[in-house]
Amino acid sequence: MFPFNDPILLGSRGTRSSTYCSSLHEHCTTIGRNINIVNLDPAAENFDYPVAMDIRELVSLEDVMEELGLGPNGGLLYCMEHLEDNLDEWLTEELDNYTDDDYLVFDCPGQIELFSHVPVLRNFVEHLQRKNFKVCVVYLLDSQFITDVTKFISGCMASLSAMIQLELPHVNIFSKMDLAPRKKDIEDFLYPEPQVLLSELNQRMAPQFAKLNKSLIELVDDYSMVSFVPLDLRKSSSMSYVLAQIDTCIQFGEDADVKVKEFDQEDD
């Protein structure tokens, strides 16, 4: 039995995960590859791509806020915990509609606490793995947010938090590169020099944080735990490269049979 293939899409608010899904669907349609996008955001509204599964069929944020009197964050946590309670029923029933060769993309809400503090997504991932899914995380970080070294380190720490919580292979992406006003400044963070980062960090922070700064830079550099791939939605080659990184993480296609084209032997 071949394993399913399943990237889980994470990112903070404003990283355009829905735009990423739309562009991914368009790109895969162009190259003749079938993907199924699953919405796990109970607050989502409109989509310009087909949604294979939708958490709003189980629970919606608007209904929870109205019936329970919760705010947006509390209501979202309630919705995700309700999803967790229905993994063996609703989710399993939905997943039974797909075959071993199907490729699913789960688009998650942008609240960072869902993948850094509470165990909802971790339990969701473990449920998928029990169903023989190969799972990886695609983590989106807004490139327009990366304006200086302090914000870059903050983004790295958020990504590391998700790595530790979920214990999955990660593909970290700088999104919105097509909208970034100064790409050169962002490109400097794709292959950062540790000593340069440390120097800039010390210049921006008080002297008492020098040891902390050094430890943070060593964590990012020595263990090579975080690196980012730029994504420019205007370029098909950029999406192809990102998709190849994801495929490598989940070993997509490695179990497929080799296709050999047969030729008729020509008569002498």
Side-chain angles (χ1 to χ4, degrees), residues 84-136:
E84 183 181 11
D85 293 338
N86 287 272
L87 292 178
D88 292 325
E89 297 179 6
W90 179 79
L91 183 62
T92 298
E93 181 179 342
E94 292 288 335
L95 293 176
D96 287 341
N97 296 322
Y98 299 93
T99 64
D100 298 343
D101 295 326
D102 283 325
Y103 187 98
L104 302 179
V105 178
F106 289 88
D107 185 10
C108 298
Q111 274 69 8
I112 191 172
E113 59 267 26
L114 292 176
F115 46 87
S116 63
H117 297 81
V118 297
V120 172
L121 284 182
R122 181 184 179 91
N123 294 335
F124 177 82
V125 165
E126 291 176 349
H127 180 81
L128 293 177
Q129 290 173 327
R130 288 194 296 268
K131 297 295 182 181
N132 204 32
F133 277 83
K134 288 183 178 179
V135 188
C136 80

Side-chain angles (χ1 to χ4, degrees), residues 41 43 49 74 103 142 153 155 171 182 186 214 253-255 267:
D41 187 354
Y49 52 86
Y103 187 98
D142 188 347
I153 296 300
V171 177
R182 300 181 60 183
I186 299 172
K214 185 173 184 293
E254 291 190 3
D255 294 322
D267 295 333

